[in-house]
Amino acid sequence: MILAEEPLLRAPHLFIDGSWVEPVAGGSREIHDPADGTIIAVVGEADERDVSNAIAAARTAFAGSSRARIPVAERAALLVRTAELLGEHRDAIARIETLDTGKTLRESHIDIDDVVAVFRYYAQLIATGADRVVDTGDRAVISRIVREPVGVCALIAPWNYPLLQMSWKIAPALAAGCAVVAKPSEVTPLSTIALVRLLEQAGAPPGVVNLVPGAGPTVGTALTDTPEVDLISFTGGATTGAAIAGRAATHLTRVALELGGKNPHIVFADAEPDSAIDAVLTGAFLHSGQVCSAGTRLIVHESIADGFIAELARRAGRIRVGPGIDPASQTGPLISPEHRDRVEAHVAHAVHEGAVLIAGGRRPEDPRTATGSFYLPTILDRCRRDMRIVREETFGPVLTVERFATEAEAVELGNDTSYGLAAGVRTADPARGERMVRALRHGTVWLNDFGPYTPAAEWGGFGRSGIGRELGPGGLAEYQETKHIWHNTAPAVGGWFG
């Protein structure tokens, strides 16, 4: 267990009501490095009783005026101090994230920098306030709209960006004044454990932040099927998201769901080729395609398609696949052997349906990758919109290619998906670019770029990509209730009933 001595990961791993505690039933789970299958840590695993204790602690903390409902200045200071601690432990947490998820160290360092930016953004945003006064036309009346914390929040993050996605939830929830119970993925819980230790060091009041690592069917269900939780924020698969929404509906619990996508990257004939090819490669193969906003559908103009795809395949074949901890690696393994098997099955089915394999489509031959969950960057040409590989998330390093002749056809193909998280457009024509970004039904549309985001801009999708938004002012509003206060400064007898 090469992370056993890391102070940020020391046992126990459940954090409830301000204390690190052992699971009630003594459960545990081995955490494996997907690059070679070795055990890197053993983490305590919660069950329903631990979840109940954590929710009760959060409920008590939120109800206590001296605990969760801390002044705005103190909330902002907690977020700033957490950001500072993350910066101080940047290298250690990056190593934890890389060994846990398989992503490269470069990616992990970028993730941590982004997490720091998210905490700082919400510290600044909450300090500015969002109350407003409404003009009623009556000088005697002061009508105010104020925002208050929604209450106890269940925060459930995915395995592909465990630290980043949890920060998108914890930072605005704490900024709003909520109390939280966090559940990282049981596959990649380590960086969230480290984050909660830093939140404790930063001065989070007891019960305001609680952590219950554990399996989705056990811990996730206990968190989402209870009237004691006021909001559920979940990032993950659409099937699980729908099940959570169903359970939440029984209790009329608010939900925020970020459920992935099948994202088109549309390249017109006038696009600058080198930057377009570079963006398509990055959008498809960063973190081995295990990105909800990955540009997995290349939709390219037919007049440039053959040459563009040939160069794309040549460059994809040069991507250095290897352990994320190795600085020479440009992309790492898939999260598990089981997930790699699913990706392989998707590719095999696509070929059976008529797709043409022009790059990858197999495991690498490098001996360093023999015991890990590696799969080469893969490109499938001649794909059709009715193919499963085009319509369903593969969540691996697989790029499908479709061709178009007209702008209208490009829009039709780009919108022909049940998802709507993100899309990209490459063109040198500003007017065409503006028409395209307006016509595409996706939550984020990049024009002559693919992938970047800012904490100040909302993130989320249309259709099966989810409900609600993270980041930006809208991400804070998810964790707030809106209250109207009507203050009559000169009360008088109305005389309605004489």
Side-chain angles (χ1 to χ4, degrees):
M1 293 182 291
I2 58 180
L3 290 175
E5 302 304 318
E6 170 56 55
L8 291 174
L9 299 179
R10 65 183 182 273
H13 302 115
L14 278 64
F15 190 65
I16 298 175
D17 202 18
S19 298
W20 293 94
V21 298
E22 297 287 352
V24 171
S28 66
R29 178 183 293 267
E30 295 177 348
I31 307 300
H32 296 261
D33 180 352
D36 59 14
T38 59
I39 300 171
I40 55 175
V42 176
V43 171
E45 188 159 74
D47 68 6
E48 296 91 340
R49 289 166 293 179
D50 299 300
V51 172
S52 179
N53 292 339
I55 293 173
R59 176 67 49 200
T60 299
F62 182 74
S65 59
S66 64
R67 300 180 82 184
R69 307 292 283 276
I70 55 179
V72 167
E74 292 184 32
R75 286 184 240 156
L78 172 64
L79 299 182
V80 169
R81 179 58 181 147
T82 302
E84 292 171 347
L85 289 169
L86 282 162
E88 293 173 14
H89 294 273
R90 180 174 182 263
D91 289 341
I93 298 176
R95 181 169 176 268
I96 289 169
E97 193 79 327
T98 287
L99 292 171
D100 203 5
T101 66
K103 66 178 62 178
T104 64
L105 273 172
R106 180 185 178 191
E107 292 175 71
S108 293
H109 278 108
I110 291 171
D111 284 359
I112 294 163
D113 293 341
D114 287 349
V115 170
V116 169
V118 168
F119 274 88
R120 291 193 181 279
Y121 169 74
Y122 280 110
Q124 181 180 26
L125 182 64
I126 197 65
T128 63
D131 296 352
R132 77 178 194 270
V133 175
V134 178
D135 184 2
T136 67
D138 186 341
R139 290 185 176 182
V141 172
I142 301 172
S143 177
R144 291 180 292 143
I145 304 299
V146 301
R147 292 187 178 275
E148 298 183 354
V150 70
V152 174
C153 303
L155 311 180
I156 305 175
W159 52 259
N160 59 332
Y161 284 87
L163 184 65
L164 185 65
Q165 293 285 344
M166 188 60 82
S167 78
W168 288 14
K169 303 175 189 301
I170 283 185
L174 296 183
C178 297
V180 306
V181 181
K183 190 202 98 61
S185 166
E186 60 268 35
V187 180
T188 56
L190 302 182
S191 60
T192 301
I193 294 170
L195 173 61
V196 172
R197 288 204 178 274
L198 297 184
L199 282 163
E200 179 193 22
Q201 293 178 30
V208 170
V209 177
N210 303 274
L211 173 66
V212 283
T218 304
V219 174
T221 301
L223 272 175
T224 57
D225 192 8
T226 172
E228 296 303 311
V229 166
D230 301 300
L231 178 141
I232 302 162
S233 179
F234 169 80
T235 300
T239 300
T240 303
I244 287 173
R247 291 193 292 268
T250 302
H251 307 290
L252 296 180
T253 304
R254 284 173 55 172
V255 295
L257 306 173
E258 204 268 85
L259 305 178
K262 193 68 179 177
N263 313 293
H265 199 164
I266 301 170
V267 179
F268 283 88
D270 63 351
E272 196 285 313
D274 285 339
S275 64
I277 289 171
D278 178 75
V280 170
L281 288 171
T282 303
F285 301 130
L286 184 73
H287 194 16
S288 286
Q290 299 169 120
V291 184
C292 59
S293 57
T296 55
R297 291 180 66 200
L298 171 61
I299 301 173
V300 60
H301 193 271
E302 61 185 15
S303 66
I304 64 167
D306 288 344
F308 190 91
I309 296 163
E311 179 61 13
L312 196 67
R314 186 184 72 83
R315 296 195 196 182
R318 296 169 57 188
I319 294 173
R320 294 191 299 274
V321 178
I325 205 72
D326 182 350
S329 298
Q330 294 177 312
T331 192
L334 298 178
I335 191 63
S336 68
E338 294 78 14
H339 185 55
R340 182 184 56 193
D341 291 346
R342 286 192 291 271
V343 171
E344 288 178 323
H346 256 227
V347 172
H349 189 268
V351 172
H352 176 73
E353 287 188 305
V356 178
L357 179 67
I358 62 171
R362 59 182 175 83
R363 304 178 187 187
E365 297 173 356
D366 187 337
R368 300 178 310 154
T369 66
T371 59
S373 305
F374 292 90
Y375 195 72
L376 290 175
T378 297
I379 301 175
L380 294 165
D381 194 9
R382 302 294 175 178
C383 293
R384 305 182 310 273
R385 67 174 83 181
D386 63 320
M387 290 179 173
R388 191 177 75 178
I389 197 89
V390 173
R391 310 202 68 81
E392 298 179 10
E393 275 194 298
T394 303
F395 225 64
V398 180
L399 177 69
T400 63
V401 182
E402 301 162 80
R403 302 167 192 235
F404 71 94
T406 66
E407 183 178 317
E409 187 182 3
V411 171
E412 183 184 359
L413 286 170
N415 285 335
D416 186 18
T417 173
S418 59
Y419 294 97
L421 183 61
V425 176
R426 310 288 301 193
T427 179
D429 184 339
R432 175 192 287 145
E434 183 62 21
R435 291 194 300 270
M436 289 296 298
V437 299
R438 291 289 188 173
L440 289 169
R441 296 277 297 167
H442 298 266
T444 294
V445 183
W446 292 287
L447 179 57
N448 294 329
D449 211 334
F450 202 97
Y453 78 98
T454 169
E458 280 77 1
W459 179 268
F462 298 3
R464 284 176 60 83
S465 286
I467 299 170
R469 291 295 183 267
E470 295 188 296
L471 301 179
L476 177 63
E478 294 286 352
Y479 297 91
Q480 295 175 315
E481 294 280 14
T482 301
K483 177 182 287 185
H484 177 208
I485 299 174
W486 178 289
H487 178 193
N488 188 342
T489 63
V493 174
W496 186 274
F497 294 110

